[in-house]
Amino acid sequence: MIRNIFIIALLVLMSYIPVITEASDTTVVNLSNQVTEKQEVKLPWYKNMNYTFGYNIGLCLRGEDLNSYPHGGVDVVGDILGKFYWLNSIEAGVRIPVENRMIDVGLGYGWAYMSGPDLTIKYIYTYIAYSTSKNVIPGLELNYFQGNRTEYHTISGEHIIVPNVRRDFIGGGWHIRFCNTRKNKRKFRFDPYFMIRIGGAYEINNTSPYHESDKKLVIWYTGLYAGFNFNIGRKR
């Protein structure tokens, strides 16, 4: 009698094993689906932006119009160095993720001083860039330059000094940055980069009373740059 009861209980228990296994599999599938659905959730682009602030410095060609005064035939090094100047810039912008790429948009402010012509430069610019491949970000920019200097004129044999002449320039160019574009999980990170810029600005206005006889100048900022960004954004 006891043996029969044990056999019946065992058979009943065995009949429930497939049900329990199926329920367990369903639970695993449900959990797996939940994880997959959780992974597939994408935040809106405006909630996934990075904010950037940085600095760069470039060694730029002066161009034909703004070469420093020649030192003569003996100072070869001085003549070569006189063809370049240092251009400083600070930038602030945002980085907007697009799939696995990034769009950079921002504003910049810069300054420089050229000895020889004793020209002080200030400029503002806006830029937009798009990462087309890993670690390479090409971009375009528009700018406005303002140059100030004391100028010297000879009118009818008379030497005239005109202090603080302002010249206004507009222009643009393009750049390509080489940096580490790999994503990481840190909210705050330091990103150094190397950059090549090609561009210039053309004179549109001159406050000198003798501007009609002056040649229109061109400021070039073509050169090699090194800089860094502080990037602040949500964890990825």
Side-chain angles (χ1 to χ4, degrees), residues 106-108 123-128 139-145 170-175 197 200-201 221:
L107 297 172
Y123 79 113
I124 57 175
Y125 60 98
T126 181
Y127 64 89
I128 182 169
L140 300 173
E141 50 193 55
L142 298 174
N143 60 59
Y144 162 75
F145 278 76
I170 59 172
W174 66 273
H175 67 258
R197 291 174 90 186
Y221 59 93

Side-chain angles (χ1 to χ4, degrees), residues 159-192:
H159 299 290
I160 300 173
I161 299 175
V162 184
N164 198 30
V165 173
R166 192 188 82 193
R167 292 176 181 260
D168 300 302
F169 306 77
I170 59 172
W174 66 273
H175 67 258
I176 182 168
R177 300 191 190 204
F178 303 90
C179 60
N180 185 0
T181 58
R182 288 181 303 175
K183 296 180 180 179
N184 56 51
K185 296 182 180 180
R186 290 175 291 171
K187 278 190 173 183
F188 180 84
R189 58 192 180 275
F190 173 78
D191 287 340

